[in-house]
Amino acid sequence: MRRVLLAIVAMALLTFGSSVAFADTLERLRETGVIKIGIREDAIPFSYLTGAGEPAGYTVNLCAAVVARFRTEPGLEALEIEYVPVETEDRFAAVAEHRIDLLCGATTVTLARRELIDFSLPIFVTGGSLLYRANGPQTFEELGGYSIAVRKATTMRETLDSLLSKFNVNAAVIEVDDHDDGIAKLASGEVAAYFADRAILSGLIGPEHIAAGVKLSDVLLSYEPYALAMAKGDDEFRLAVDRAISRIYRSREIEDIYRGTFGERAPGQLLEALYILNSLPE
């Protein structure tokens, strides 16, 4: 996977030239008056489209708040957002090729990815977990001999392999194209579990799934820190994004953004700590 991403970035650089040509993102935004925000259409509750086709979700709303902070800067007062849908497989190429200025989905920060693109301060923390059927295996260790579905081209795919090795669980891995496919395979009995970010799973599982005997594990099996992604080499733009995020945290505006997505459910001590630790002083 890492080699594929490196190849994509290398091709982008050959096609579009040195990243220096794109280094001054803020100046380009002043000239065009438009910032291109990459969104996912199916990463509920972080980035998705409503029934009316409008972008929504925790990360989408956070990015809108970041842009609102940009508008307080000279030359950016009229900055408009252009939302650009991206797929799981091409989202990092869209960043590297400057088709989008900021990736606002459900993107886990890894060291390998940091070789290819830049990331903002952390914006959320979650972890891998499982959807089970009530009449099937009830723990990760019990999945030996069964099949587990996971979305392809995600960190969850690699994490699942690691966990299977760590816990010595001999289970078949079935890759799926999207969350709906994974949940459908679970409901039909084709797989015994569906592995994904727990925060996303909690937004996907509805009353109809619960009535059908699907349940969400309380256990986090991995650590997944989310951040906004942008092209490498523009320290000024990254600092502007981080400054906006820190101000959003310090002002507690983040509480409204969180409640707008997750309601009155408490964010938990780990996420609260993330907000505090990244409320950086000026």
Side-chain angles (χ1 to χ4, degrees):
M1 181 65 184
R2 179 173 167 184
R3 288 175 180 161
V4 172
L5 289 173
L6 285 169
I8 290 172
V9 173
M11 290 176 63
L13 292 176
L14 286 173
T15 302
F16 292 93
S18 169
S19 61
V20 172
F22 296 93
D24 199 348
T25 303
L26 290 174
E27 187 58 35
R28 177 163 48 81
L29 298 186
R30 290 186 178 96
E31 292 174 358
T32 65
V34 175
I35 182 169
K36 295 183 178 181
I37 301 292
I39 60 165
R40 296 266 300 281
E41 298 183 0
D42 60 350
I44 299 171
F46 294 94
S47 176
Y48 61 96
L49 296 182
T50 66
E54 296 295 324
Y58 174 86
T59 318
V60 173
N61 293 336
L62 177 59
C63 280
V66 168
V67 175
R69 299 275 172 167
F70 284 178
R71 293 188 184 117
T72 65
E73 300 298 324
L76 294 174
E77 296 88 350
L79 187 63
E80 297 291 334
I81 296 175
E82 177 184 339
Y83 290 107
V84 180
V86 295
E87 300 293 338
T88 304
E89 296 82 2
D90 78 338
R91 53 188 166 155
F92 299 129
V95 172
E97 295 169 5
H98 303 273
R99 287 186 272 126
I100 58 177
D101 299 306
L102 205 56
L103 176 58
C104 300
T107 308
T108 301
V109 182
T110 69
L111 294 174
R113 287 175 175 177
R114 284 179 59 187
E115 293 183 20
L116 310 173
I117 54 179
D118 279 341
F119 288 95
S120 70
L121 293 172
I123 63 164
F124 202 84
V125 60
T126 181
S129 194
L130 289 156
L131 288 180
Y132 295 103
R133 288 196 314 277
N135 61 353
Q138 300 296 296
T139 68
F140 188 82
E141 291 81 358
E142 292 175 358
L143 287 168
Y146 291 89
S147 295
I148 307 171
V150 65
R151 191 166 183 178
K152 65 183 180 182
T154 64
T155 56
M156 288 290 98
R157 177 65 180 89
E158 298 170 5
T159 299
L160 179 56
D161 284 340
S162 229
L163 289 168
L164 291 172
S165 176
K166 176 180 178 180
F167 292 103
N168 196 28
V169 174
N170 184 21
V173 176
I174 307 297
E175 292 189 343
V176 295
D177 291 327
D178 53 48
H179 296 303
D180 289 339
D181 187 20
I183 295 175
K185 282 181 167 54
L186 174 63
S188 70
E190 186 175 342
V191 298
Y194 180 54
F195 184 70
D197 284 347
R198 192 178 191 281
I200 290 179
L201 291 177
S202 68
L204 290 171
I205 186 170
E208 70 278 14
H209 302 117
I210 296 172
V214 174
K215 53 193 264 187
L216 176 60
S217 171
D218 291 327
V219 178
L220 284 180
L221 295 164
S222 68
Y223 166 63
E224 301 285 332
Y226 288 176
L228 310 181
M230 63 208 81
K232 287 186 73 70
D234 193 338
D235 292 340
E236 184 182 4
F237 181 60
R238 184 176 61 180
L239 178 59
V241 172
D242 286 346
R243 178 175 286 117
I245 291 173
S246 286
R247 289 174 175 173
I248 290 166
Y249 290 172
R250 289 202 310 271
S251 70
R252 307 307 293 177
E253 182 184 355
I254 192 63
E255 294 176 359
D256 294 332
I257 294 171
Y258 178 89
R259 280 195 297 268
T261 300
F262 299 100
E264 295 306 316
R265 186 176 68 191
Q269 293 182 346
L270 190 58
L271 188 54
E272 284 280 12
L274 182 147
Y275 293 152
I276 294 170
L277 291 171
N278 290 285
S279 296
L280 304 179
E282 293 291 334

